Amino acid sequence: MMSLNLDFIRAQFPAFREPSLEGFAHFENAGGSYACRPTIDWLERYYRQTKVQPYYAFAPSRTAGEQMDAAKERMAAWLNVGSDELHFGPSTSQNTFVIAQALRRHLAPGDEVIITNQDHEANVGAWSRLQDDGIVVREWQVDPETAELNPRDLEALLSPRTKVVAFTHCSNVVGSINPVRELTELVHRAGAWAFVDGVAFCPHGMPDVGALGADLYFFSLYKVYGPHLGAMVLRRELNAQLPNQGHFFNAGKAAARFTPAGPDHAQIAAVNGVMDYMESVANQHGFGDRSVQEQAAAVRNLFRKHETALLQPLLDYLSDHPKVHLIGKVRATERAPTVAFTVKGLRSTELASRLAELKLGVGVGNFYAYRLVKALGIDTDDGAVRASFVHYTSEAEVGRLIEALDRLL
Ligand SMILES: Cc1ncc(COP(=O)(O)O)c(C=O)c1O
């Protein structure tokens, strides 16, 4: 299989040529990725040429609306869903709160919602608060030794009263990739809806959301080389069943029902930048003439192969080190390159500061996966160190991180 052309890839990200970032290695991609050049170009162009209210007849307004529509259509096609099913809001946390408001009116006291303690709080807190309205919230818990979720434990929690199961495609701390298709089938067999958090998965290759079977699938574009927006795929049937959260006179407009904040027009237009980038990767690697679905799969595989090759040495180093407790699996093929760990006798915050002095940017804390960090017996204030990367990361950068860890531990 073809390898990723890393020179081409890095040339698409201005951060790699930015003098103020010279020598800095970005290992906090699970927090936010660099933006690709087309995203920045689209934003700049929108503000210069079409920064007017969109969707009117006058030329810049018409163009602005066309750009926003194109962004939605292109990204929806890449995700294999209908463009009427893709919605942009300010963030994933905001999107889940809006849907929770709708559920609050849709569900009845005694109905049940299942959350996990492997998730980021964005896919937990909004649903947990439904308890205030008499909804029963059950927690599907990780094995505290492995930090993994076992589907058999979910089966035991499902009941005829279960209406929603909210779980993550990939934890932003554990990194394992959950079997979404298998889980959505299980949830549907129980007659419930599956709400899936794809925020930590999508930076590693946007999935075929249509094939995953989720009723609601969230991700955040600022981690996928784009602007600061939350994207949500809300399946048509679910949209129609939940009560409108937008202005009352828009109740009949699927696109307006669950995005009451009002969209950031420029950022939506800039989603075209993410799509330009994805398509340029497909073209550069010789897949440009294939169907959109084939391009998406080929780009995903390219990213995955590159990331997996870089990830294994880091996992080997961490799992072999006597002082390190690695969270999650040791085989790169079974997880994303989001690697959290703690070190015996060294505070995580201290280690992160020392790495920062060496111009290595890692994350530290509980990453808002507070319940998970607690369940794993880790101090929720100090938390874990998290080194996360994506396909634009080089072997040399990972080598530098391992060397620095070797020096400091
Ligand atoms: C796995 C996961 N889910 C949800 C979120 C929340 O996303 P947002 O910042 O768009 O609200 C994050 C943010 O870091 C995350 O990592």
Side-chain angles (χ1 to χ4, degrees), residues 133-189:
D133 294 79
I135 310 302
V136 177
V137 177
R138 303 196 182 282
E139 190 177 64
W140 177 17
Q141 295 179 344
V142 294
D143 175 335
E145 292 303 312
T146 62
E148 303 293 343
L149 289 168
N150 184 339
R152 277 198 300 279
D153 295 338
L154 172 60
E155 276 178 65
L157 290 171
L158 289 166
S159 87
R161 299 229 61 168
T162 309
K163 297 291 185 258
V164 173
V165 180
F167 60 93
T168 187
H169 194 164
C170 174
S171 148
N172 65 334
V173 173
V174 187
S176 348
I177 296 161
N178 289 322
V180 175
R181 179 77 217 182
E182 182 191 319
L183 294 171
T184 57
E185 281 173 6
L186 183 61
V187 170
H188 289 160
R189 275 201 301 279

Side-chain angles (χ1 to χ4, degrees), residues 30-32 90-95 119-123 168 170-173 197-201 218-223 228-230 367-368 386:
S91 69
T92 290
S93 303
Q94 179 77 39
N95 285 340
D119 271 86
H120 183 284
E121 193 64 14
N123 197 29
T168 187
C170 174
S171 148
N172 65 334
V173 173
D197 179 346
V199 175
F201 183 85
F218 306 101
F219 63 103
S220 300
L221 282 154
Y222 68 95
K223 302 181 199 263
H228 201 114
L229 282 179
F367 310 105
Y368 286 12
R386 179 176 74 180

Side-chain angles (χ1 to χ4, degrees), residues 60-280:
S61 175
R62 203 177 55 239
T63 307
E66 284 166 3
Q67 291 172 356
M68 290 168 65
D69 290 348
K72 204 179 250 197
E73 276 156 27
R74 294 172 72 191
M75 180 156 276
W78 197 267
L79 298 168
N80 193 22
V81 297
S83 60
D84 58 324
E85 297 180 300
L86 179 62
H87 307 270
F88 298 121
S91 69
T92 290
S93 303
Q94 179 77 39
N95 285 340
T96 54
F97 267 81
V98 173
I99 299 294
Q101 283 303 104
L103 276 185
R104 195 178 297 286
R105 284 184 39 220
H106 181 77
L107 300 182
D111 283 346
E112 296 178 6
V113 169
I114 299 176
I115 47 136
T116 87
N117 67 349
Q118 196 190 50
D119 271 86
H120 183 284
E121 193 64 14
N123 197 29
V124 178
W127 324 124
S128 285
R129 288 176 193 197
L130 296 172
Q131 285 177 111
D132 301 344
D133 294 79
I135 310 302
V136 177
V137 177
R138 303 196 182 282
E139 190 177 64
W140 177 17
Q141 295 179 344
V142 294
D143 175 335
E145 292 303 312
T146 62
E148 303 293 343
L149 289 168
N150 184 339
R152 277 198 300 279
D153 295 338
L154 172 60
E155 276 178 65
L157 290 171
L158 289 166
S159 87
R161 299 229 61 168
T162 309
K163 297 291 185 258
V164 173
V165 180
F167 60 93
T168 187
H169 194 164
C170 174
S171 148
N172 65 334
V173 173
V174 187
S176 348
I177 296 161
N178 289 322
V180 175
R181 179 77 217 182
E182 182 191 319
L183 294 171
T184 57
E185 281 173 6
L186 183 61
V187 170
H188 289 160
R189 275 201 301 279
W193 287 319
F195 291 2
V196 180
D197 179 346
V199 175
F201 183 85
C202 286
H204 310 291
M206 284 183 282
D208 181 334
V209 176
L212 290 175
D215 299 281
L216 188 55
Y217 188 91
F218 306 101
F219 63 103
S220 300
L221 282 154
Y222 68 95
K223 302 181 199 263
V224 192
Y225 338 121
H228 201 114
L229 282 179
M232 99 181 136
V233 173
L234 174 61
R235 299 322 297 248
R236 237 162 257 144
E237 303 72 27
L238 182 55
N239 187 327
Q241 285 186 55
L242 292 179
N244 172 38
Q245 299 300 302
H247 298 309
F248 74 91
F249 45 81
N250 282 335
K253 294 183 186 159
R257 287 162 49 80
F258 300 101
T259 48
D264 183 319
H265 304 146
Q267 296 202 49
I268 291 177
V271 172
N272 280 298
V274 177
M275 298 321 303
D276 287 349
Y277 173 61
M278 292 294 165
E279 288 169 13
S280 75

